[in-house]
Each structure stands twice: as structure tokens, then as C-alpha cells.
Amino acid sequence: GSDSCPAYAIVGRPDLGPVAAGAAAQASQPSVAYLEPWLLPTVERRLREGQGEFLTELRPVAALFMAFDGIDYDGDEDAPCKLDELVRWVQHEATAVGGSVLQLTVGDKGSYLYLACGAPISHGDDVHRCAAAAVNLRQATAKFAFLSSVRLGLGFGTARTGAYGSRQRRTYGALGVETNLAARMMGVAADGAAYASDAFARACQDSFSFRALPPRMFKGSAEPVKVFELLAHTGGGLVTSDDQRRERLIGRVEEVAVLSEAMMSARLGRGMIVQLTASAGMGKSRLIAAALASAGTTDLEVLTGAAQSYARTAPYRAWDSVIHAVLGLDPRDPSAERIAKLPAAVDDLEPSLSARLPLLAPVLDLHLEGNFLVDSMNPELRQASRQDLLITLLRKRAERLASLGRTLVIVLEDLHAIDPLSRELLESFARLVPDLPVALFTAGRPERQAADQERRSTSGAVQYLMGATQLLLGPLRPHEAEQLIAERLHGTSFDADTALVAKLLERAEGNPFYLEVLLTEVAARGADGSTAADGELPTNLHSLILARLDHLSERQQANVKVASVIGREFQARWVHACLADRTPTEVVEDLEVTRRFELTPLAVRDPLTYRFDHTITRDVTYESLPHELQLELHTRLARFVEGSVASEADPQLDLLAFHFERSRDTDKRKTYLWRAGRAAQENFAHEAAVDYFMRLLPLLSGAERLEPQLALGEVTSFMGDHAAAEEHLRGALATAQEASDRLGLASAQRLLGELFERRGDHTTARVWLEKAVRSCRELDDSAERIAKLPAAVDDLEPS
């Protein structure tokens, strides 16, 4: 080769003998310093800090594929230098926009480069950066005379990023549907053109112009795919801040007035309900907090509760903290201490309620001894009596406060994740509120956003409460958003930048959280005074959140990713339990850093508990984890809860079912779905029980399906869903017959008899019950028969 492009050759190692060869191999091992330039900085740092398991992620990636022709690898001795010159230029262009060249491919099918923006670092506006790079790269033939043609393909969407390859050779990559589509676009692009997918064009059409081309069929596509040609950069500039101050609520004047009016009405003895509904990020909690502050809380007792997505089927979870507060109990106290205080607490509010005290067991998650009155109640009566007891406690508390010149305010948040029994209690209590000195505020997402992202179910969603004032919280009005921007930028170098304000207003579209994040980026990028006007404004909230996370160290990112598996709120020791290579002190130190960044503000000091600053932050972080890592972290967390948190007094069944269901441990998944279902059934949380059993059934086969089928038949029969009950019980009947399980057969026949009895079909009921008796006669173990033979069957055969 030429002097500027040295040639290399691979030479076979001579036979040095085993000892000499070993020494030579050790001496030839490249140092970390030697390898470092060949790794992306983020990848090298993550591996060096022992966070390799968090290298794989799911993140939005803007992909650019660049095919090039004109280098004769076989006949041109300068081909290596030409290729090196081209690759260096592309790397320079990639670095200029914050992207990375991930792949160079040279082969019989042509030569191409793959450039990615958003992996391994997100900037929040990666699709704009990628488009800017494409505008420059398509001019490659003008810059390099040896190139005969250049064709570009662009795509934007979620990709799996991380290590790819074999055990001998691995590389960092980013692959997904849109990255594949970008490669297809490259394949059909005209010389000197950049073809983009629909997702790419829509994401940056505010700052780049595109021309729609005829749709095309691509390999793997079921129908024609839209194709757009990138034409030019039309303008726009990127500015963003890291001081996410939230001292004062901006706007929402009318909404605050409605909440204030409700509290004033309650002070006068006329209760009011306000239901606040808004999409994520619209500021529901901040609005309620601002209204409480403006109303003055000296004469208010504010009790708050919140539904939890992982406990969507746990009984009364949304009311847990409220009922504890009504009774003057601290839910963090040991079970024994709360049990000891409970009788006096109930007696203090209403002595006549003491006889029904055991009914509070599932509400307070305590093991309470039964009594003759409660034990004698049938399931339906017990549930109705419990609900009446809870309403009476709430009413007595409100009346007690009113007699002291104070007013009760109840706030229930995250109503979109409410469990069925909490919903029933809320709906029943709401009917009484107008006659009580109570203000009841609820906050939740619209029904279309209420479904759990991991499991679509809205069975517990609350629609509209009777007599409630509905507040549908939408985006900030333009003048309110302008005021927010002005206050946040006041005192910075951008406070008079009208062009920036216009861009922020356009991109945020009135979403307060989105706008706060954009302003955070403004301050951060403007700190060095050189990048405030570079590039375009971010367009994707997912990318924005990842951009915030990517500013953290590798250890801090690992903390936040583990925390996202735990939930919106998480204890520091639970995070540590999932990070075996870290000390508790290191975990807390890193959480304190993310607290100062306002990503994980402190929730409770004892036990040390943090929470994500917003549900969106937690959701985006969790969704960035690949499925395999989610499985692994849920497994670690579930085993920790099982071994170190759960106890006989507090078995944590809902939490264990939640995490084991998302874990690698199939056996434990079955165990805890069954146990949680049985517990829900015993607590008369019938909808929850059905939910658990239905999730369990697909995991079972053969005879092991029998018990859940019987349980489903029994529960749905109690619920009055007779068609479903018959279907489940006939399924149990078939399973028992296939397994030759006489006791199971008798149980299914007996439950079918009871079902037809409820329907009023006494003739059919007797037929089934007589079949159950005959099946019981065939049981070998009479002791087992006597122990398990239900009373309904025993009545037919007294012997």
C-alpha cells in the first residue's frame, strides 16, 4: 500500500511449545487502553463499571443506512485508504449530531454503513439529528470523487440495542422493525437521495421537508409501505434546561376554583365530589395540591389513598391508607401493634361497631380472630356488612371532625388502576357524600389510557360517580404555557427569546410535564452557552425521558432501571436486593444523586423510600428494558420479597403474584397466582379471584387444571354469572373424568347442583346432587369423604 495507508498481514504463530506459547499469548493480550478506541464510549464505560447486563435496552432509534459504490476492492491498491477516508468522514458527521456508526459491511451485495442516533445515548431529538446527518451524507459523491453513487434509507422506531454476535465475536448493535425498514429504503433509493419511512417523516416534518413517493411492497410487508424522500432542512433550533422548578402552579385557575368551592361547601356541611380526569403528565396531583394550599389546611383533615397497578386485584388497596388514618393507625407499624390498637380505635368512633371488627381484616391486611356474629354470616352478607362498616367509619370520622370545627377531605389518586372492591366502596360512599361534611376528590386517567400496559384490563375502572363534578384536565392554554415558560426561563440567557418560546409552545402542545422536561433541557444545554441553538427541538417524550436518564452514570442508570421494575414508589433496600455487586451505601448514594436531579424524589425516610417524579418516567424506564432482563429482575425481586419481606402475618400474595407472573420461575408463578386467587376468594373479592384464576389456567394442563376450574365455577356462581359458572364446572367435570378423580368429580357435580338450585331449576339441581352422592360413595377413604363432603350433598345422604 501507500505510505499513508500501511498494509497488514496475518502471520501464523510458530510452534513455541506449551509454556512459551502460553507466555506469548499472555504478553499479546491487548490492554484495555488499546481496546478502548474500538468501543463506543458508553459501551466501554458500562462494561468497565460492571453494568454489562444493562447494556441491552429497548429504546427509540433513528436509523440511517448509507449504500455507496465506486471503490474497487480487488483492483485498486488504494481501496483501503479510500474506504478509511470515507468511514472517517461518516464518523465525523455522526459525531457532530450525537450519533454513532455501528456497522460497516463490505461484500458481494454491495457496501453500506449503518449510523444510529439514540443508541447508546439518547438526546431527545434523535430523529432530527439523524435527518440532519442524512442531508449532509447524501452529498458524499460531491466530496469524494472515487464514489459513483450514494443511496440512503431512514427509519425511526423502537429497537433492541445491545450486544449481537457469537461467543467469539460480539458487537454493539441496534435492530428493530424500523431499522430493517431503513435498510429496505436504502435498497430502493435513487442515487443521491434519502428515502424515509412514514414514522421518520412524521417525527421531524416540522423541521425537514419531505416528498411523498408511491407506496412500495417490501419483503416481509403485507401491504404497500409509504415512502418519503427527504428534501431539505427547513429550520428550527434546539434549546433545552435542567432546572425543573415547580414552585407555583401556572394556570388552572378555573379548576382550582372548582376544588376550592367543593371544600367550602363541605365546610358548610354540604359534601361535594370532584372527579379529575386527565392524561399522564397533565398535572392532576399538582392541581389538587395547589387547591389545598390555596384553601388553607388549618381546618382541613386531608386523607389520601391511591390505587396501585401491581395490586389492581388486591382488596381495598385504594382505601388502605385512608381507613388506617380514619382509625388513627399507622400502616407501617407491626401487625401485632395495629391489631392491639384496633378495638379501641373502632370503639372510639362508634362502640356499636366493635362486634363487626373482624370484617376489617382484608381492608387493613391483618389476621383478625373471627367471632360468632361474623362467622355466622354467609359470603354475600359478610361483604355487604363490611362495606356498611367502612362507610359508617368514614361517616363517623367526618361528623367527629365537623363537631370540632374541622372538615374531612378525601383524595383518591390513580383511579384508573382501582381494584374492584375499592371501586364498590367508592361508589357506595359517593352516594352519601352530599349529606356529609366531606369533600371527595378523585384523580385518574381517561378509560382509554387506564389499561395496564402489560395486561389489558379495565374491569375496575371507575366511570362517573353519581352527583360528581367532572373536571377534564386538558393541555395548558397558550397564555398559561407562555407564563410557565417565562417563569422558568426568568433570569437565564433565554428569558427574552421569543423564537424559543414559540418553539417550546409548538412542541409541548400544552402538556405541562412535557413542557417542564423541555425547559429542563434548555437550561442544561444552555449552561455552556454554545449548544442552545444547535439542532431541533425534541419531538418524542420517550426519547426525552431516556435523554434525562442517559445523563446519569452507569450505576445510577442501573438503580433507576431496577426501581422501574419495583414500581412508581420503591424502597432503597429493594433496589439493593436486585444488585448483588453493590453495597447498600452505594445504592443510597446513587439514589441521592437522582433525587437531586428530581428523577427520584424522596417519599419516606423510614424505611428509606423514593418515587419516580412522574409515572411516565417510570414507564419509559421500564419499557426500555428488554424482555429477558425484565424477567430476570422480576425473578430477583420476587425471590427477595418471598424470602425477606413476606411473612405469615403479611404474606404479600398480590405482590408476589405480580412479580412471579413476570419472572422466569414458572412453578412459583403458578403457586402465587393460585394462592392470591384463593385469598381473594376467601375475602369475597370475587372479581379479583376470577382474574387470578383466569391468568393461572393457561399455565396448567391435565389434572392440575381441576382445582382452578372448580374455584372459578364456585366464584362465578356467587357472582351470579351462571353461564360462565356452568362452563367452568363442566370443564372441571371433564378434567376430573379424564383424571379419574372421584373427589373432583363429586365436587364438580355438587357445585353444578348448587348452581341449578340458584337458578331455580330444582329438578336438575337434584339430579346433579344425586350424582355427587353416588360419586362420593365410590371414594375409598371414608374419612376423606366425611371431611370433604359438602353439607348440600350430606343432606341428601344423612348416613
Side-chain angles (χ1 to χ4, degrees):
S2 64
D3 293 339
S4 62
C5 186
Y8 293 89
I10 299 176
V11 180
R13 177 178 296 160
D15 185 3
L16 302 175
V19 175
Q26 184 176 7
S28 66
Q29 285 291 326
S31 66
V32 174
Y34 176 82
L35 291 174
E36 187 173 331
W38 298 92
L39 294 172
L40 296 173
T42 300
V43 174
E44 184 274 332
R45 186 171 62 249
R46 196 164 294 182
L47 293 174
R48 175 164 38 82
E49 295 187 8
Q51 304 301 324
E53 70 176 329
F54 294 102
L55 186 62
T56 302
E57 299 172 302
L58 298 175
R59 54 170 57 229
V61 172
L64 183 157
F65 280 82
M66 173 181 165
F68 56 92
D69 297 310
I71 300 178
D72 182 359
Y73 300 106
D74 295 325
D76 185 355
E77 64 178 9
D78 289 332
C81 290
K82 291 176 178 177
L83 180 62
D84 181 68
E85 186 181 2
L86 174 64
V87 172
R88 286 176 182 272
W89 176 68
V90 174
Q91 286 179 322
H92 173 77
E93 294 295 322
T95 302
V97 298
S100 304
V101 175
L102 300 184
Q103 185 178 343
L104 165 66
T105 300
V106 176
D108 297 338
K109 295 183 179 180
S111 304
Y112 66 87
L113 286 154
Y114 171 24
L115 182 158
C117 291
I121 293 291
S122 176
H123 303 86
D125 59 338
D126 295 295
V127 69
H128 291 75
R129 293 166 182 260
C130 190
V135 168
N136 293 335
L137 292 177
R138 66 184 179 181
Q139 307 299 322
T141 53
K143 183 174 180 64
F144 300 99
F146 56 79
L147 291 180
S148 58
S149 70
V150 170
R151 304 176 308 281
L152 280 75
L154 303 166
F156 178 56
T158 300
R160 179 193 180 276
T161 67
Y164 286 87
S166 64
R167 296 177 66 87
Q168 288 74 31
R169 181 182 183 277
R170 296 176 74 77
T171 186
Y172 181 86
L175 297 177
V177 173
E178 280 285 324
T179 57
N180 291 337
L181 187 54
R184 305 285 184 206
M185 294 287 175
M186 173 190 71
V188 301
D191 182 25
Y195 285 7
S197 70
D198 180 50
F200 189 99
R202 282 189 290 106
C204 61
Q205 63 185 352
D206 57 330
S207 300
F208 292 83
S209 59
F210 291 85
R211 178 168 65 94
L213 300 176
R216 302 183 65 122
M217 291 296 298
F218 290 105
K219 183 180 179 180
S221 61
E223 54 188 35
V225 176
K226 292 181 180 179
V227 180
F228 297 85
E229 182 183 359
L230 172 65
L231 299 178
H233 181 209
T234 58
L238 174 68
V239 239
T240 50
S241 175
D242 196 24
D243 182 20
Q244 195 170 342
R245 296 165 300 193
R246 302 176 180 181
E247 303 87 355
R248 193 171 74 86
L249 182 71
I250 303 297
R252 312 300 196 194
V253 176
E254 293 85 355
E255 292 87 349
V256 169
V258 171
L259 295 172
S260 299
E261 180 187 351
M263 287 182 280
M264 180 57 68
S265 180
R267 283 171 168 138
L268 299 174
R270 299 187 302 272
M272 281 188 65
I273 307 168
V274 180
Q275 278 193 275
L276 185 58
T277 305
S279 302
M282 288 298 173
K284 298 180 289 292
S285 299
R286 290 183 62 196
L287 173 61
I288 293 174
L292 289 169
S294 68
T297 56
T298 55
D299 67 332
L300 300 178
E301 179 172 280
V302 183
L303 306 184
T304 62
Q308 296 173 332
S309 60
Y310 74 78
R312 189 182 292 262
T313 54
Y316 303 104
R317 186 53 59 94
W319 289 92
D320 180 10
S321 58
V322 173
I323 301 302
H324 270 91
V326 164
L327 294 170
L329 302 177
D330 188 340
R332 294 171 296 179
D333 287 341
S335 298
E337 187 174 326
R338 286 184 288 149
I339 291 172
K341 293 178 178 178
L342 184 58
V346 173
D347 190 68
D348 181 56
L349 282 176
E350 178 55 63
S352 65
L353 301 178
S354 298
R356 290 190 283 165
L357 186 146
L359 293 171
L360 293 173
V363 184
L364 304 176
D365 201 17
L366 295 173
H367 287 273
L368 302 175
E369 292 291 332
N371 57 34
F372 177 80
L373 174 64
V374 172
D375 292 344
S376 65
M377 295 178 181
N378 62 36
E380 290 86 354
L381 178 58
R382 189 175 301 185
Q383 174 58 26
S385 182
R386 179 184 293 113
Q387 186 165 288
D388 178 73
L389 169 62
L390 293 172
I391 289 174
T392 303
L393 290 173
L394 292 166
R395 178 170 55 81
K396 290 293 183 181
R397 182 66 179 178
E399 291 170 351
R400 170 77 59 83
L401 289 170
S403 69
L404 300 173
R406 307 193 67 207
T407 303
L408 177 62
V409 178
I410 298 176
V411 180
L412 295 181
E413 296 192 85
D414 295 333
L415 222 62
H416 50 274
I418 196 167
D419 62 273
L421 291 180
S422 289
R423 181 199 64 206
E424 290 180 16
L425 177 58
L426 174 60
E427 291 171 343
S428 297
F429 181 64
R431 287 191 283 269
L432 302 179
V433 166
D435 298 320
L436 297 174
V438 174
L440 174 61
F441 301 151
T442 71
R445 298 181 192 174
E447 182 184 4
R448 65 182 182 275
Q449 299 178 1
D452 188 327
Q453 293 171 351
E454 297 157 314
R455 189 175 180 282
R456 300 288 176 181
S457 173
T458 56
S459 62
V462 174
Q463 296 302 308
Y464 299 105
L465 295 174
M466 182 181 298
T469 299
Q470 301 296 325
L471 278 184
L472 302 179
L473 196 60
L476 291 173
R477 299 171 180 85
H479 72 277
E480 294 170 339
E482 287 183 18
Q483 186 180 357
L484 174 60
I485 294 170
E487 289 205 5
R488 299 298 188 265
L489 293 182
H490 181 67
T492 73
S493 58
F494 307 108
D495 61 349
D497 190 337
T498 55
L500 169 62
V501 172
K503 293 170 188 173
L504 289 170
L505 289 172
E506 179 183 356
R507 288 300 170 86
E509 297 180 347
N511 185 305
F513 177 69
Y514 200 168
L515 191 53
E516 294 272 13
V517 174
L518 286 168
L519 288 164
T520 297
E521 293 290 308
V522 169
R525 301 208 181 193
D528 59 12
S530 62
T531 60
D534 294 339
E536 288 70 42
L537 287 173
T539 59
N540 186 289
L541 186 55
H542 194 123
S543 297
L544 275 175
I545 298 300
L546 287 181
R548 295 178 70 198
L549 298 178
D550 286 342
H551 283 95
L552 304 174
S553 73
E554 304 309 320
R555 287 193 347 183
Q556 291 157 5
Q557 287 190 51
N559 267 11
V560 174
K561 289 174 180 178
V562 169
S564 74
V565 176
I566 299 171
R568 174 78 184 277
E569 196 167 285
F570 53 92
Q571 291 186 30
R573 75 182 188 108
W574 288 34
V575 175
H576 171 253
C578 296
L579 295 169
D581 61 332
R582 308 273 294 282
T583 67
T585 301
E586 289 173 333
V587 168
V588 173
E589 287 174 350
D590 289 333
L591 285 172
E592 281 298 296
V593 173
T594 53
R595 179 187 65 80
R596 290 194 292 273
F597 287 166
E598 296 189 11
L599 276 168
T600 58
L602 187 67
V604 179
R605 291 197 177 277
D606 187 19
L608 190 58
T609 305
Y610 299 83
R611 62 183 282 122
F612 283 95
D613 66 331
H614 198 283
T615 301
I616 294 175
T617 308
R618 181 265 165 193
D619 291 348
V620 168
T621 307
Y622 183 81
E623 290 165 11
S624 74
L625 299 174
H627 181 63
E628 284 299 309
L629 186 53
Q630 287 179 359
L631 287 176
E632 175 61 27
L633 292 176
H634 278 294
T635 303
R636 293 183 198 174
L637 184 62
R639 290 175 179 168
F640 165 72
V641 172
E642 182 184 44
S644 303
V645 179
S647 64
E648 185 176 349
D650 187 10
Q652 299 281 341
L653 294 179
D654 289 293
L655 190 61
L656 286 167
F658 179 86
H659 288 294
F660 271 124
E661 189 177 12
R662 292 155 180 79
S663 77
R664 301 180 188 277
D665 197 328
T666 304
D667 290 338
K668 290 291 179 69
R669 188 184 311 169
K670 296 176 184 177
T671 297
Y672 282 104
L673 283 173
W674 171 249
R675 290 185 60 189
R678 290 292 291 170
Q681 185 179 6
E682 291 169 3
N683 286 326
F684 311 105
H686 295 142
E687 291 181 55
V690 169
D691 184 72
Y692 278 122
F693 294 144
M694 290 299 290
R695 283 149 59 186
L696 172 62
L697 270 182
L699 306 176
L700 307 176
S701 61
E704 61 183 0
R705 292 173 60 86
L706 180 58
E707 289 295 330
Q709 286 175 318
L710 290 171
L712 275 167
E714 188 171 18
V715 173
T716 50
S717 179
F718 271 125
M719 294 172 67
D721 190 349
H722 296 159
E726 183 174 357
E727 181 182 349
H728 292 308
L729 292 175
R730 289 190 182 276
L733 202 65
T735 301
Q737 288 169 339
E738 290 173 9
S740 300
D741 187 331
R742 290 292 180 185
L743 185 57
L745 189 66
S747 298
Q749 291 165 337
R750 184 264 301 180
L751 289 171
L752 278 166
E754 293 180 354
L755 172 63
F756 281 98
E757 192 73 43
R758 281 194 177 90
R759 287 179 169 179
D761 187 347
H762 304 294
T763 301
T764 306
R766 186 168 186 86
V767 170
W768 281 112
L769 292 173
E770 287 174 348
K771 287 182 179 181
V773 171
R774 287 195 294 273
S775 296
C776 285
R777 285 178 180 151
E778 297 175 12
L779 290 173
D780 295 330
D781 190 337
S782 60
E784 181 182 33
R785 175 188 167 192
I786 293 170
K788 297 190 175 182
L789 187 62
V793 180
D794 220 15
D795 289 342
L796 289 177
E797 171 147 305
S799 61

